[in-house]
Amino acid sequence: MSSGTVENTEPKESDEKTEEPESALETARRQLEHAAAHLDVDSGVIERLKHPTKVHRVAVPLERDDGEVEVFTGYRAQHDDVRGPYKGGLRFHPHVSEEECVGLSMWMTWKCAVMDLPFGGGKGGVVVDPKSLSSDEKEKLTRRFAEELRPFIGPKKDIPAPDMGTDAQTMAWFMDAYSMQEGETIPGVVTGKPPVVGGSEGRDEAPGRSVAIIAREAADYYDYDLEETTVAVQGFGSVGANAARLLDDWGANVVAVSDVNGAIYDPDGLDTHSVPSHEEEPEAVMTHDVPQKLSNEKILELDVDVLVPAAVGNVITADNAADVEADVVVEGANGPTTFAADSILQERGVQVVPDILANAGGVTVSYFEWLQDINRRQWSLERVNDELESHMLSAWNDVRAEVEARDVSWRDAAYIVALSRIAEAKSTRGLWP
């Protein structure tokens, strides 16, 4: 195991400063500048990539079930389309903001580029608590949001997908609303739909599958026998549960998983298929009978080979990075490690495989879905998984080559791959006028 700092059991002083959470935009810009230092890229290209091409802000009126009309705010940030249409999720969440959408759209640009997909980055959402909406209200809100965004989106312009607070049904409503106004069925306007209306098999499981593939490859790279590799997964939702179960199936020893209420831990290994995921039974992880139960913070400090933070962003910070005992961190969530924490982990020799590579299975299978919609021909689940495996291994090898050639971190290597491709495309296309 890595020789990390011994856990400090002394209480912290009450006046001790804690790290302020970074916004997605701050982190994305810092990571861009950090990667740019390794490349001979025109400064004008870097400056352009610090800013989104466009940000749309729209009012989304909704007649509630009781007849009251409420107006919500919606956003769609479109970061860069030099390599193809904008691509990225739509979230329904009370903390959606313009700055968050811009930062996440930048991450999508890097993610599409590192996977060598013909897309740029986009992100959007509505400032609303989806739990406060009835099913009818959510459908009406989705349809009106689709209408407000209609001039700015399309299968050749910008292709949304599900995100926090949205799902396959949301995308089906969105696609239907768009298609009704366009006068023809256009399934390619969004991805993440149910297969019956043009969605792809394997789309829901894809981010977790890609995390598992990358964790497997990282274990192999560092000469771990997978059957002796211990894994802890924070977050047992779609990404975390699928990653944990696949790794379990492949022989890894998944010793801990968690949900919003806490973590369960068994040093002899969990039967991950018997632990309910968030989709199967929300917040049920802690009801599982296991030897030990921990907090969500403590699961990050377990002495394991591989740690997969797959819950939310900013969970590994300057305040707890010294307590991370894993040898390898494979990021399942978007932005789980702050910039300051990343530096601490790097100094301690903890390898961090970044989100823009590890969880890119979602956008990759979204690309497959887009291709299926354009060609009106559906792929089998076996083909989807085979193609995903091939794309993930190709991207892993591209990033690994930069790690070895430049002696940089996995995050820097991923950004170098992405930025090189984007910069070359911008240089080739030029600046108009």
Side-chain angles (χ1 to χ4, degrees):
M1 302 305 302
S2 59
S3 55
T5 305
V6 176
E7 181 179 344
N8 180 9
T9 57
E10 293 296 319
K12 294 182 179 179
E13 294 295 328
S14 60
D15 61 349
E16 181 178 336
K17 284 189 176 181
T18 58
E19 182 189 0
E20 286 293 323
E22 284 184 327
S23 71
L25 180 56
E26 289 172 331
T27 302
R29 283 177 172 165
R30 284 197 193 197
Q31 290 166 343
L32 169 63
E33 291 172 349
H34 202 61
H38 295 280
L39 293 170
D40 183 18
V41 177
D42 186 276
S43 61
V45 170
I46 303 302
E47 187 61 29
R48 286 157 65 189
L49 288 172
K50 290 180 181 178
H51 306 278
T53 302
K54 300 171 187 172
V55 181
H56 305 285
R57 174 175 173 162
V58 297
V60 190
L62 169 67
E63 183 177 355
R64 305 297 295 252
D65 291 341
D66 61 5
E68 180 183 355
V69 174
E70 192 169 350
V71 180
F72 297 91
T73 300
Y75 298 98
R76 185 63 177 175
Q78 297 171 325
H79 176 245
D80 188 82
D81 65 346
V82 70
R83 289 170 47 85
Y86 305 105
K87 186 80 189 77
L90 289 177
R91 54 180 52 182
F92 288 176
H93 195 274
H95 295 148
V96 168
S97 67
E98 179 175 330
E99 184 179 28
E100 177 193 59
C101 290
V102 171
L104 293 174
S105 72
M106 291 176 72
W107 271 333
M108 283 303 301
T109 297
W110 320 141
K111 188 177 292 186
C112 291
V114 80
M115 294 303 301
D116 206 14
L117 304 178
F119 293 136
K123 205 76 170 187
V126 177
V127 187
V128 62
D129 180 359
K131 295 179 182 178
S132 71
L133 302 172
S134 68
S135 180
D136 286 345
E137 289 172 338
K138 188 173 184 180
E139 178 177 355
K140 288 190 289 185
L141 185 72
T142 300
R143 291 180 178 277
R144 184 55 184 258
F145 189 36
E147 174 59 19
E148 296 300 334
L149 291 184
R150 188 162 60 91
F152 319 120
I153 62 173
K156 297 179 182 178
K157 293 181 183 177
D158 185 352
I159 307 122
D163 203 305
M164 293 172 59
T166 59
D167 55 19
Q169 179 61 70
T170 317
M171 294 301 105
W173 291 329
F174 195 102
M175 183 272 284
D176 183 69
Y178 180 89
S179 296
M180 292 293 288
Q181 293 301 316
E182 293 295 310
E184 60 178 308
T185 299
I186 308 177
V189 67
V190 293
T191 58
K193 307 176 296 295
V196 72
V197 290
S200 177
E201 299 289 347
R203 171 59 180 82
D204 289 345
E205 300 82 13
R209 176 171 285 272
S210 69
V211 168
I213 291 169
I214 295 301
R216 182 195 69 201
E217 294 305 304
D220 180 67
Y221 184 79
Y222 288 108
D223 294 325
Y224 297 144
D225 182 340
L226 191 61
E227 293 190 357
E228 297 178 2
T229 299
T230 53
V231 181
V233 180
Q234 186 197 46
F236 210 62
S238 177
V239 178
N242 282 298
R245 289 170 178 175
L246 267 175
L247 288 168
D248 192 0
D249 292 343
W250 293 341
N253 189 25
V254 180
V255 297
V257 300
S258 75
D259 64 12
V260 67
N261 294 317
I264 55 174
Y265 174 56
D266 185 344
D268 293 326
L270 299 167
D271 175 7
T272 57
H273 289 277
S274 70
V275 182
S277 71
H278 181 74
E279 284 70 23
E280 293 161 349
E281 191 178 339
E283 302 182 15
V285 167
M286 295 293 279
T287 64
H288 206 66
D289 186 23
V290 293
Q292 295 185 50
K293 294 187 178 180
L294 309 169
S295 68
N296 249 311
E297 292 74 27
K298 287 298 180 183
I299 194 174
L300 299 171
E301 302 171 9
L302 286 175
D303 187 11
V304 292
D305 298 313
V306 178
L307 171 65
V308 180
V312 295
N314 292 334
V315 295
I316 303 178
T317 69
D319 296 324
N320 65 359
D323 297 321
V324 172
E325 293 294 325
D327 291 333
V328 180
V329 175
V330 178
E331 295 185 331
N334 287 323
T337 310
T338 67
F339 189 83
D342 213 34
S343 298
I344 295 170
L345 294 176
Q346 189 172 351
E347 289 173 4
R348 295 181 55 231
V350 178
Q351 305 298 325
V352 181
V353 184
D355 47 5
I356 65 168
L357 172 61
N359 69 19
V363 70
T364 303
V365 176
S366 280
Y367 169 56
F368 300 161
E369 181 176 332
W370 181 71
L371 290 176
Q372 293 170 72
D373 289 338
I374 289 172
N375 292 291
R376 295 293 203 267
R377 185 171 184 177
Q378 196 164 40
W379 297 0
S380 67
L381 176 60
E382 183 181 10
R383 180 178 176 184
V384 169
N385 287 340
D386 286 347
E387 293 274 0
L388 177 59
E389 174 93 7
S390 176
H391 274 67
M392 294 309 304
L393 292 181
S394 178
W396 166 264
N397 288 330
D398 289 341
V399 174
R400 177 184 52 76
E402 294 293 344
V403 168
E404 295 173 350
R406 298 176 184 269
D407 191 25
V408 294
S409 70
W410 290 95
R411 190 183 309 281
D412 283 345
Y415 275 82
I416 287 167
V417 170
L419 185 54
S420 297
R421 289 172 175 162
I422 296 165
E424 183 179 5
K426 283 193 175 293
S427 175
T428 302
R429 289 185 59 168
L431 180 61
W432 188 90

